[in-house]
Amino acid sequence: MSNTVRTLRVPGRHGYAAEFSPYLPGRLACAAAQHYGIAGCGTLLILDQNESGLRLFRSFDWNDGLFDVTWSENNEHILVTCSGDGSLQLWDTAKATGPLQVYKEHTQEVYSVDWSQTRGEQLVVSGSWDQTVKLWDPTVGKSLCTFRGHESVIYSTIWSPHIPGCFASASGDQTLRIWDVKSTGVRIVVPAHQAEILSCDWCKYNENLLVTGAVDCSLRGWDLRNVRQPVFELLGHTYAIRRVKFSPFHASVLASCSYDFTVRFWNFSKPDPLLETVEHHTEFTCGLDLSLQSPTQVADCAWDETIKIYDPVCLTMPA
């Protein structure tokens, strides 16, 4: 197991997403909901690390559960969250109250939000249970366009870190889809699992490689140049995979968290790909992120009302 685990307990709040700041080392945002997101309000928690552990820097309440959070890529104080009431919220951590702006167009829960990472564009993409993806410019009060095609709930929408205007979405319709903002249409449809797909992510080192995580407990890698079959499959989780993230530091390392309460670390280039299983939660583990500043640091959050930051052994050892 990892050496020191820093834990913050947030009574009555069930963690849905955790995201490290791209600017401030050690700063973490967590989107959380009351009553497992079924009823009640939501809270955006901003945490800082110190020697003794995790400190709550600021928290913002919203009148419905918050399911995802993304940091601005051009202002260290700005974040966007998304909510069960179909809205997105823009927050400023330098201000004690908020939100600065609310974007309400989706007609059902918004489960995913992501801020573009390529230079020269500041765009946010959101995915909803209303089966649509919407594109936003945070400086504009209404969406720029709506992407239709998924035949069920959308769980995950993630920008390509390489290709401007390109994002991926994962859905309950069992497909991974690749979209192009310029053509406002779907470029590639991948029937990736025979189960609902709850998460996807792009490899940081290969613009053609994505991973999906699904209710069938499997992770699958997809090369967009040939999507007929996966380039890898990772098995070991015993319940649905809730979130998957590629490492920013290792081309073939990724992490996944699951309703089996575990976080698992994998190297898909190895014959025995499972590097480590972390079992420090007692409920569904929903939020997961790998630090952009520290090659060894990981954050997660779960329905057990805790947020944790730690350094798994497999990331502290030489590859």
Side-chain angles (χ1 to χ4, degrees):
M1 242 312 274
S2 53
N3 29 32
T4 52
V5 179
R6 295 171 175 159
T7 302
L8 184 72
R9 181 166 290 284
V10 280
R13 293 293 180 273
H14 302 113
Y16 268 87
E19 295 286 324
F20 282 107
S21 164
Y23 288 101
L24 299 171
R27 177 157 286 185
L28 183 76
C30 177
Q34 272 185 307
H35 309 304
Y36 308 99
I38 297 158
C41 69
T43 305
L44 170 62
L45 303 146
I46 310 297
L47 285 63
D48 285 322
Q49 296 176 64
N50 52 28
E51 286 65 41
S52 57
L54 285 179
R55 178 181 73 88
L56 185 62
F57 168 73
R58 190 153 277 161
S59 70
F60 300 99
D61 286 324
W62 185 245
N63 54 22
D64 209 322
L66 297 179
F67 296 141
D68 200 11
V69 58
T70 185
W71 288 93
S72 163
E73 294 286 340
N74 69 346
N75 182 329
E76 66 187 39
H77 302 294
I78 299 293
L79 316 89
V80 174
T81 52
C82 61
S83 172
D85 62 8
S87 68
L88 282 66
Q89 303 79 29
L90 183 80
W91 309 90
D92 183 344
T93 61
K95 297 183 166 63
T97 59
L100 297 184
Q101 193 152 1
V102 178
Y103 312 91
K104 175 94 175 75
E105 287 186 30
H106 284 295
T107 57
Q108 292 185 48
E109 290 91 334
V110 187
Y111 230 57
S112 175
V113 66
D114 194 38
W115 196 296
S116 60
Q117 297 175 36
T118 51
R119 292 183 189 280
E121 58 181 20
Q122 296 297 328
L123 298 170
V124 170
V125 70
S126 61
S128 169
W129 288 18
D130 67 13
Q131 306 184 14
T132 71
V133 178
K134 286 183 181 284
L135 179 71
W136 311 83
D137 174 339
T139 63
V140 177
K142 60 181 195 299
S143 64
L144 304 179
C145 64
T146 301
F147 299 84
R148 301 176 201 279
H150 276 298
E151 292 162 23
S152 183
V153 170
I154 296 167
Y155 290 111
S156 181
T157 47
I158 308 285
W159 288 103
S160 165
H162 308 281
I163 309 159
C166 176
F167 66 89
S169 60
S171 167
D173 69 9
Q174 310 183 356
T175 67
L176 168 72
R177 294 177 191 235
I178 312 300
W179 308 80
D180 182 11
V181 166
K182 290 177 283 298
S183 69
T184 69
V186 68
R187 278 180 45 214
I188 304 171
V189 179
V190 186
H193 298 258
Q194 288 181 302
E196 290 199 288
I197 307 169
L198 303 186
S199 185
C200 62
D201 196 29
W202 295 81
C203 180
K204 312 297 184 276
Y205 293 86
N206 176 348
E207 68 174 30
N208 292 301
L209 184 62
L210 290 97
V211 64
T212 50
V215 172
D216 63 10
C217 310
S218 76
L219 294 154
R220 290 179 179 172
W222 302 97
D223 186 323
L224 295 182
R225 293 163 298 189
N226 179 5
V227 295
R228 279 198 296 273
Q229 65 273 322
V231 288
F232 63 79
E233 183 174 49
L234 305 172
L235 302 172
H237 280 294
T238 56
Y239 282 93
I241 293 163
R242 181 59 177 79
R243 207 176 287 269
V244 58
K245 293 275 179 87
F246 271 106
S247 166
F249 291 97
H250 308 279
S252 58
V253 170
L254 53 90
S256 55
C257 67
S258 165
Y259 291 162
D260 66 12
F261 307 175
T262 71
V263 178
R264 293 174 197 245
F265 296 87
W266 315 81
N267 185 332
F268 62 81
S269 69
K270 287 186 168 2
D272 193 6
L274 181 60
L275 301 175
E276 187 173 346
T277 301
V278 173
E279 302 181 75
H280 58 200
H281 286 291
T282 57
E283 254 296 352
F284 288 178
T285 309
C286 292
L288 175 66
D289 199 21
L290 287 80
S291 169
L292 293 164
Q293 265 98 12
S294 160
T296 62
Q297 195 167 79
V298 176
D300 62 36
C301 64
W303 284 10
D304 60 11
E305 307 180 353
T306 65
I307 304 162
K308 295 179 185 281
I309 295 183
Y310 55 102
D311 298 85
V313 172
C314 66
L315 297 187
T316 60
M317 316 226 296

